[in-house]
């Protein structure tokens, strides 16, 4: 079966095609202090990766959004990216995006 390969960095990468060539499925970064979930794909040869940018969980250095963090639930050929945001005195789930592997990662639903 497919094994999910994750690369965790502080700074987001710009040379995504090189990471795709290495078989990276998910790139996690946080330097920008703003939540973003995107997708990089090279349709040639079915290479793709999810780009998951974390917000700011505990710092006051937010970027016009509440403190937040992401939770990834990884199953065979499927990744659920859940964003949790600070609401009042606690974090609650604010959004979920689901991606499934079908010759590349594709948003489901």
């Amino acid at each position: 079966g497919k094994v999910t390969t994750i690369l965790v960095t502080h700074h987001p990468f710009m040379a995504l095609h090189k990471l795709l060539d290495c078989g990276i499925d998910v790139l996690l970064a946080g330097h920008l202090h703003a939540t973003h979930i995107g997708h990089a794909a090279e349709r040639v040869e079915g290479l793709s990766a999810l780009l998951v940018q974390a917000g700011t969980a505990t710092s006051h250095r937010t970027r016009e959004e509440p403190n937040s963090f992401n939770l990834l639930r990884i199953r065979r050929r499927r990744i659920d990216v859940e964003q949790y945001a600070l609401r009042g005195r606690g974090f609650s789930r604010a959004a979920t995006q689901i991606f499934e592997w079908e010759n590349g990662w594709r948003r489901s639903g």
Side-chain angles (χ1 to χ4, degrees), residues 13-21 23-27 36-52 99 101 103-107:
F13 274 86
M14 296 302 171
L16 295 175
H17 63 281
K18 293 184 183 215
L19 294 174
L20 294 174
D21 288 343
I24 300 297
D25 290 298
V26 180
L27 174 61
H36 174 75
I37 301 167
H39 183 259
E42 295 284 337
R43 293 297 174 213
V44 178
E45 300 178 34
L47 299 175
S48 72
L50 299 180
L51 312 173
V52 181
F99 297 87
W101 180 265
N103 195 30
W105 292 106
R106 309 224 186 271
R107 183 172 286 152

Side-chain angles (χ1 to χ4, degrees), residues 11-84:
H11 290 90
F13 274 86
M14 296 302 171
L16 295 175
H17 63 281
K18 293 184 183 215
L19 294 174
L20 294 174
D21 288 343
C22 294
I24 300 297
D25 290 298
V26 180
L27 174 61
L28 302 178
H31 176 72
L32 301 176
H33 295 269
T35 301
H36 174 75
I37 301 167
H39 183 259
E42 295 284 337
R43 293 297 174 213
V44 178
E45 300 178 34
L47 299 175
S48 72
L50 299 180
L51 312 173
V52 181
Q53 180 74 37
T56 302
T58 59
S59 172
H60 295 290
R61 295 179 61 189
T62 60
R63 301 290 192 259
E64 299 181 21
E65 64 181 54
N67 289 78
S68 65
F69 66 90
N70 298 314
L71 174 66
L72 278 65
R73 297 185 188 275
I74 300 172
R75 288 173 253 172
R76 187 172 180 262
R77 306 176 69 86
R78 177 179 163 147
I79 299 175
D80 296 8
V81 182
E82 298 176 358
Q83 179 192 9
Y84 285 79

Side-chain angles (χ1 to χ4, degrees), residues 93-104:
R93 189 169 55 207
T96 300
Q97 293 185 47
I98 300 170
F99 297 87
E100 296 186 85
W101 180 265
E102 186 180 319
N103 195 30

